[in-house]
Amino acid sequence: MNIQAHKRIIAAAAAVIATLILTAGCAPAEQPDSPPAAPQLTVSASDADSALSEKYDFKPNDSGYTVTAYKGEGGDETLPAMYRGEPVTAIGDGAFVNCDRLTSLVVPEGVTSIGDSVFYGCDRLVTVELPSTVVSIGQGAFTKCVSLRSVNVPAGLTEINISTFYGCTALESVTIPEGVTSIGISAFNYCNSIGTITIPDSVETISYRAFWECTITVRAPHEPDYYGYTPDRHVTWVTE
């Protein structure tokens, strides 16, 4: 091979190598993989219902669910308004009985019924907020709630039942709404902290020992015999 041919082979090889280098330099850089999207943390309805089932027992009723028992740790609680997509409409008999851990409870709108002895013996319960939808409160619902200071009586209630507030020695005030027609036996026994209670014109009957062992002033539009009531000792009756 002559010298000229040899030079031509070297030159051609150099050109090929230069082309390869330039081509490689223009190639688009490889893009790193995108990081995976962060998982969306959501609480499903079933998870929420499971959490509620750990705190309460429920039973179906004609309009939704009744709370039948409380299993929580106490303190300040708010009753659920819904369970399994249906409204909570009632608190069953004795649902919170002797729960000495509960200090306050908010009952949501939609609950219409509070059963018998629901809060019996809840000796640390200080306040209860009842919704306007409540139309019945069972016998002895707040019996021996010795720390209870305030509870609103819903406007739709027609009866203060037997022993409703029996032994609520710290209860400071109760407003009986217009629409209540009767006050049951021992309804306010030993409620020594109330001081004064006003009877609305709608009340027709006040039962035996309704204010037994209360040092209290009762203000009413009629004399006691109108209601079939003989004032208990320590009761000062004022007709207005």
Side-chain angles (χ1 to χ4, degrees):
M1 180 182 297
N2 61 35
I3 294 174
Q4 293 297 326
H6 184 69
K7 288 182 177 180
R8 285 197 295 271
I9 292 171
I10 293 173
V16 171
I17 293 171
T19 301
L20 291 173
I21 293 172
L22 290 173
T23 303
C26 293
E30 184 178 358
Q31 298 297 318
D33 293 337
S34 299
Q40 297 297 314
L41 299 178
T42 58
V43 178
S44 68
S46 59
D47 290 339
D49 290 337
S50 295
L52 288 176
S53 295
E54 293 179 1
K55 186 178 287 190
Y56 303 96
D57 286 338
F58 297 90
K59 180 180 178 181
N61 62 40
D62 291 340
S63 56
Y65 280 94
T66 297
V67 173
T68 59
Y70 174 69
K71 303 175 290 186
E73 296 180 357
D76 300 333
E77 289 283 8
T78 298
L79 203 71
M82 302 288 291
Y83 179 68
R84 293 184 177 179
E86 297 289 338
V88 174
T89 60
I91 306 176
D93 295 349
F96 292 83
V97 66
N98 291 327
C99 180
D100 59 4
R101 308 176 305 279
L102 189 69
T103 54
S104 72
L105 183 69
V106 177
V107 180
E109 290 290 325
V111 172
T112 60
S113 173
I114 310 293
D116 294 344
S117 305
V118 166
F119 302 103
Y120 183 103
C122 293
D123 55 13
R124 294 185 184 179
L125 183 64
V126 177
T127 62
V128 175
E129 294 182 28
L130 299 177
S132 60
T133 49
V134 168
V135 295
S136 68
I137 297 177
Q139 298 182 13
F142 297 95
T143 291
K144 296 185 179 180
C145 292
V146 296
S147 299
L148 186 68
R149 294 183 181 177
S150 65
V151 59
N152 59 303
V153 179
L157 204 68
T158 59
E159 177 184 22
I160 307 295
N161 219 322
I162 296 171
S163 300
T164 297
F165 298 105
Y166 183 108
C168 293
T169 54
L171 191 62
E172 296 174 344
S173 66
V174 173
T175 299
I176 301 175
E178 188 71 34
V180 169
T181 60
S182 65
I183 298 174
I185 297 170
S186 302
F188 293 96
N189 277 23
Y190 300 100
C191 292
N192 297 317
S193 299
I194 292 178
T196 300
I197 195 165
T198 300
I199 306 299
D201 194 47
S202 57
V203 171
E204 299 171 354
T205 60
I206 298 176
S207 298
Y208 174 71
R209 289 190 170 182
F211 304 101
W212 178 255
E213 293 298 321
C214 294
T215 301
I216 190 172
T217 297
V218 177
R219 299 183 179 277
H222 307 284
E223 296 294 336
D225 58 359
Y226 171 88
Y227 306 99
Y229 172 70
T230 299
D232 301 301
R233 62 179 182 174
H234 310 308
V235 171
T236 301
W237 191 274
V238 177
T239 303
E240 298 180 328

